[in-house]
Amino acid sequence: MRLLAGFDAGQTQTRCRLSVVQKGLHQTVGEGEGPGVSHLDAPQGEGRFLEAIRISAQNALKDHPAGVIQAAVVGASGIEHGTALQQRAERLVGHALAIGDDTEFRKVLVTGDERTALRGAIPEGAGILAISGTGMIVLGRDENGHEQRCGGWGWLLDGAGSAFDLGHQGLQLTLRMADGRLPDHPLRLQIWNQMGCDSHAAVKARVVQHDFGTANFAALAPLVVEAAAQGCSSAEEIVQRSAAALSNCISTVAQQLSLRSPLVVCHGGAVIHLPGFRTAVQQAIRQSIPKARWGEARGDACDGALLMAEALILRPR
């Protein structure tokens, strides 16, 4: 069986979906999961990447041990198109899946996960995908297939509009409450309790521990959004500020692609699981792009990767 493979390689897990194309339609024949990946230049980065691809593919192939993967596309965080990093990642995937360059139709593409997510969410035509989870990135495409991104530079440089951003600002807010710059609010103790802290000194010590990172900040976001819904004005300001930052990225992409009434699809835990934040984002978009259309994703990143894998065969790079 000749198969297409689509991968969504995240920091916590990697998903692989296998399909065959029959009469122009993709039929899923296997799915598997594996460990997450890290940046290729991080310690053990290449080893983690290889392991994630191999294990997720093996799990997806368990019902088709004799299946041959003829084309594979991997969407992975931190991969920039046209870079040496992309070429390294493609060599690793080819090695992991035994896909070589000996025939025209055995192909590999590794690209940013925002590109596979956009293709899955909006398979054809123009539109904008805003991903707001632990981090954030916005990517759009016009009717001619030209793409434009905004944001996605990582939490150290630019995380505005993400769950990390909400949680980080919320934690900063509690410290201003603790030293008297702002009136105290139950939100302070709620955040500190979740972190296992009983004082500002404990908070200061906790955030520098090696096991405290972006996901821990992001886990505080629901408390901030709930406090905003209950009338905490400082929390409301955080939610509005973060929503405006995400909306600004969306309107920037719309402007650069000359999309006057774009289809906008928002994806990621912050907008899916935090209704108060989602509402704030929708309101901000209506103000910045009055003719924008709010839509639902038609598929996920693995779906997008499979469509791109099919395109590799039909239109080899």
Side-chain angles (χ1 to χ4, degrees), residues 3-7 16-18 49-61 67-74 89-100 106-110:
L3 304 170
L4 301 179
F7 294 81
C16 172
R17 184 172 299 151
L18 303 175
F49 191 85
L50 273 170
E51 181 183 34
I53 298 301
R54 281 175 175 159
I55 292 177
S56 59
Q58 288 171 359
N59 289 335
L61 282 164
V68 176
I69 297 176
Q70 64 176 142
V73 171
V74 180
E90 290 176 350
R91 286 194 294 269
L92 290 171
V93 172
H95 178 69
L97 302 179
I99 300 177
R106 296 169 67 85
K107 297 292 180 179
V108 171
L109 171 65
V110 180

Side-chain angles (χ1 to χ4, degrees), residues 26-47:
H26 284 260
Q27 177 183 345
T28 299
V29 296
E31 298 200 44
E33 294 183 356
V37 300
S38 59
H39 196 285
L40 291 186
D41 288 329
Q44 290 85 50
E46 289 196 359

Side-chain angles (χ1 to χ4, degrees), residues 191-208:
I191 287 180
W192 288 11
N193 288 339
Q194 181 161 312
M195 296 175 61
C197 298
D198 58 5
S199 68
H200 62 280
V203 170
K204 186 176 181 180
R206 180 73 185 98
V207 297
V208 297

Side-chain angles (χ1 to χ4, degrees), residues 227-265:
Q230 294 179 357
C232 176
S233 59
S234 296
E236 288 180 34
E237 291 174 3
I238 290 174
V239 171
Q240 295 298 325
R241 188 160 53 240
S242 192
L246 184 60
S247 176
N248 178 252
C249 288
I250 295 170
S251 60
T252 297
V253 169
Q255 182 179 18
Q256 293 181 341
L257 291 176
S258 300
L259 302 178
R260 300 186 61 185
S261 57
L263 172 66
V264 177
V265 175

